[in-house]
Amino acid sequence: MGREQRSGERTLSIIKPDGVSKGVIGEVIRRFEKEGIRVVALKMLHLTKRQAEGFYVVHRERPFFPSLTDFMSSGPIVVMVLEGDDVIARNRTIMGATDPKKADSGTIRADFAGNIEQNIVHGSDAPETAAMEIDYFFSKLDIM
Ligand code: GDP
């Protein structure tokens, strides 16, 4: 039996430490899958502070960088590669705005996030960042 041909874009999704501790891993993945988005790689890990700083290096000059990287290294996270047509933009719509107070109702952040920092999920914002972020966590061999 041959492998299925899969069209579509890829993006990196993270369920942040607050999402894992609130017990919404399954709910977050369900929201992706019900939109026809495929999970093509997935693992749980606990970032070191240094690894969190490496991931968020573009934000290193921001005042919230120390707090953000403390938060991201505070507990286990789930990292996933999502695949589907237009998945970068569709994932960001499903996530909602960075600040949950501004997020549309029915989005992950509106439904579960506590504040602008502890906002349950991460999603790449463009094809170039998606490629870099996927590479940060996964080797080619890890992606189905
Ligand atoms: P995203 O693409 O929606 O995740 O937002 P950004 O790329 O702008 O920011 C990255 C992450 O930094 C966000 O998801 C938040 O966890 C955090 N963050 C963004 N803006 C702020 C802020 O003003 N204050 C704090 N404390 N954290 C922020």
Side-chain angles (χ1 to χ4, degrees), residues 1-138:
M1 211 159 55
R3 286 193 193 199
E4 236 179 272
Q5 284 298 316
R6 286 170 171 153
S7 64
E9 192 174 62
R10 285 176 175 173
T11 193
L12 185 85
S13 169
I14 302 180
I15 304 175
K16 296 182 180 185
D18 57 334
V20 173
S21 67
K22 284 180 174 173
V24 296
I25 297 171
E27 175 60 20
V28 168
I29 294 174
R30 188 187 71 83
R31 290 181 184 212
F32 298 146
E33 290 187 329
K34 89 177 160 60
E35 296 299 324
I37 292 171
R38 295 179 292 274
V39 177
V40 295
L42 180 151
K43 63 184 167 189
M44 180 176 266
L45 69 164
H46 189 152
L47 294 178
T48 63
K49 171 86 169 166
R50 184 69 56 95
Q51 289 167 336
E53 288 168 348
F55 180 72
Y56 277 121
V57 70
V58 294
H59 293 310
R60 67 189 175 283
E61 305 299 339
R62 303 284 198 95
F64 58 80
F65 184 70
S67 163
L68 173 63
T69 52
D70 276 346
F71 163 56
M72 288 301 288
S73 57
S74 68
I77 61 173
V78 173
V79 287
M80 291 174 272
V81 179
L82 304 180
E83 187 179 80
D85 292 337
D86 204 22
V87 73
I88 294 173
R90 284 165 65 213
N91 178 39
R92 290 183 67 88
T93 302
I94 295 166
M95 287 162 54
T98 310
D99 182 350
K101 294 200 284 292
K102 296 179 183 155
D104 289 341
S105 66
T107 61
I108 292 169
R109 284 165 165 172
D111 289 348
F112 304 115
N115 57 61
I116 193 170
E117 181 174 281
Q118 305 204 0
N119 59 4
I120 308 285
V121 277
H122 166 84
S124 312
D125 62 1
E128 305 70 45
T129 44
M132 276 170 36
E133 291 177 359
I134 289 169
D135 218 42
Y136 195 76
F137 290 109
F138 294 100

